[in-house]
Amino acid sequence: MWSLRLRFAGFHHPDLVGVARRERWATDYGKPLVRPIGPDGPTGGSCAEIEVARHLRRAGWDAWWSDGYGQAPVRWRPWIRRAHGWQGQVGSLLREIRRARGDGASGGVPDVVATRDGRVVFVECKGPGDRTSPSQLRWLAAAIALGLTSDGFVLAEFDVVD
């Protein structure tokens, strides 16, 4: 498994000053807002998952945030492909891992799924205080049981600084 350490500049959305966390969901989806890197980023702040997918795209990968909940802010949707939205080799692989879990659950897919030249890489983004969930561990165990090797997984730990 590869490991990355990332640092993002924080983004302070003017509409969120003094707004309670639970009332901010439509704007920040419960994620730390970061400043988009480059001119093609979303206005109103980005998130680590989108920035990782954007960097992979610039390097020639077909990379998407896999957003398991499907309720992200509209401005982020151009960078999202839900796990069931993948076709071809990646779609088949994701369905096979889900079946191999044996519990019928669809969660646990890493945050970013990327493919290039027949290779698939899964990136899990963890910010300060984030922990790996039991569902993520079951997904990883199923993927490894199917023969996926550790070089196809990346842990991207990040900080957000002002």
Side-chain angles (χ1 to χ4, degrees):
M1 178 179 285
W2 295 90
S3 180
L4 296 174
R5 187 82 182 139
L6 306 170
R7 177 164 285 168
F8 295 109
F11 179 86
H12 300 285
H13 196 289
D15 296 342
L16 299 181
V17 176
V19 176
R21 187 88 177 142
R22 67 182 173 279
E23 297 171 10
R24 298 165 47 157
W25 188 262
T27 302
D28 70 7
Y29 205 39
K31 298 193 169 291
L33 292 177
V34 302
R35 186 177 321 279
I37 301 167
D40 61 335
T43 58
S46 188
C47 66
E49 295 84 351
I50 288 172
E51 293 307 305
V52 167
R54 289 177 61 223
H55 281 290
L56 286 166
R57 285 182 184 185
R58 286 187 194 130
W61 291 80
D62 182 16
W64 299 83
W65 174 20
S66 64
D67 178 33
Y69 297 106
Q71 299 175 353
V74 172
R75 71 182 188 281
W76 290 352
R77 295 194 183 145
W79 289 276
I80 296 171
R81 181 179 292 163
R82 309 265 326 266
H84 64 270
W86 283 92
Q87 303 296 318
Q89 172 200 9
V90 177
S92 296
L93 178 60
L94 289 169
R95 286 186 295 279
E96 192 174 346
I97 294 169
R98 181 178 179 186
R99 280 191 298 275
R101 281 184 60 155
D103 61 5
S106 60
V109 177
D111 293 316
V112 177
V113 179
T115 184
R116 181 175 73 183
D117 300 328
R119 181 165 182 215
V120 180
V121 173
F122 300 98
V123 183
E124 180 59 33
C125 300
K126 293 293 182 196
D130 283 349
R131 297 178 187 255
T132 305
S133 72
S135 182
Q136 290 170 325
L137 292 173
R138 286 190 297 274
W139 191 94
L140 181 60
I144 291 170
L146 287 172
L148 273 71
T149 59
S150 62
D151 65 338
F153 300 96
V154 179
L155 174 61
E157 296 178 283
F158 69 92
D159 291 317
V160 178
V161 296
D162 285 328

